[in-house]
Amino acid sequence: SSKKQIQAYLYRNQLLSLEQITIADLKGMDLMALRPVDLHDILTHHPNLARLDFSDKHLTAENILLNPKSWPVYPALTHLDLHNTQLSDEGAKQLAMLLKVEPCLFPSLSVLDVSHNQIHDQGFKELAIALLKIKTLTVCILDKNCLSYTGFQDFLRIIRDHPRLER
C-alpha cells in the first residue's frame, strides 16, 4: 500500500526525526491512492516538522486536510506549502477550520503558500478570518487564484489588524 511505501521510505532514509517532508521526496509512490487517514497517520508521527510541502502534487483538500480536532500540534512548523494543490473554496474553508483550532496547531507558522489554486472570494474571506488567529504569520502567498478585485479588497480589510502579516 502507499502508506507502507511512505513509511518504508522514511525509515530507509532515517527520517524518523523528520523536520521537513516534501511530497516531491516521495515521487514514484501513488499518493492519489493514499487515503487521507494514512497521510494523516504518517504526519502525526512527526510533530517536529518545520516545513510541510504539498506543492504541485494535485492532492485535493480531502487528501490533505482532515478533521481539525484530530491533528497534533506542530510547534516547530514554520512553512506550510499548498501551492498548486487544486484547493477550492471548500478546501480553503477546511484549511481555515484547521487554522482556527484552539490551541493553535501551528504556533510558529510564518509562511503559508496557497498560490496557484482555485480559491475564490468566499474561500479567501474564510481564510482571512482564520489568519488573524496565527499571530506568527508574516507571509501569505495568494497569487494565481480566482480572487476578484473586490474579494482582494475584502481580504485586505479583514487582515489589516494582523500584527505581523506583510501587506
Side-chain angles (χ1 to χ4, degrees), residues 25-84:
D25 290 339
L26 308 177
K27 60 186 167 218
M29 297 179 199
D30 186 6
L31 295 176
M32 295 308 285
L34 186 64
R35 296 176 311 151
V37 166
D38 293 337
L39 179 61
H40 188 263
D41 184 49
I42 291 164
L43 295 178
T44 57
H45 288 90
H46 300 288
N48 295 324
L49 287 173
R51 181 181 178 95
L52 192 51
D53 183 349
F54 289 104
S55 63
D56 299 319
K57 290 298 155 191
H58 303 291
L59 298 175
T60 63
E62 293 76 29
N63 290 103
I64 301 170
L65 309 168
L66 297 168
N67 177 357
K69 293 180 180 173
S70 66
W71 275 66
V73 173
Y74 287 100
L77 191 75
T78 58
H79 289 71
L80 180 57
D81 190 347
L82 299 171
H83 166 94
N84 196 24

Side-chain angles (χ1 to χ4, degrees), residues 20 31 41 56 80-81 93 104 122 129 135 144 147:
Q20 175 172 324
L31 295 176
D41 184 49
D56 299 319
L80 180 57
D81 190 347
K93 289 176 189 175
C104 182
Q122 189 57 42
I129 293 166
K135 304 296 184 201
K144 305 293 184 192
L147 188 61

Side-chain angles (χ1 to χ4, degrees), residues 132-149:
L132 292 174
K133 300 275 187 190
I134 310 295
K135 304 296 184 201
T136 56
L137 194 68
T138 57
V139 177
C140 183
I141 305 168
L142 315 169
D143 62 311
K144 305 293 184 192
N145 273 284
C146 304
L147 188 61
S148 71
Y149 178 77

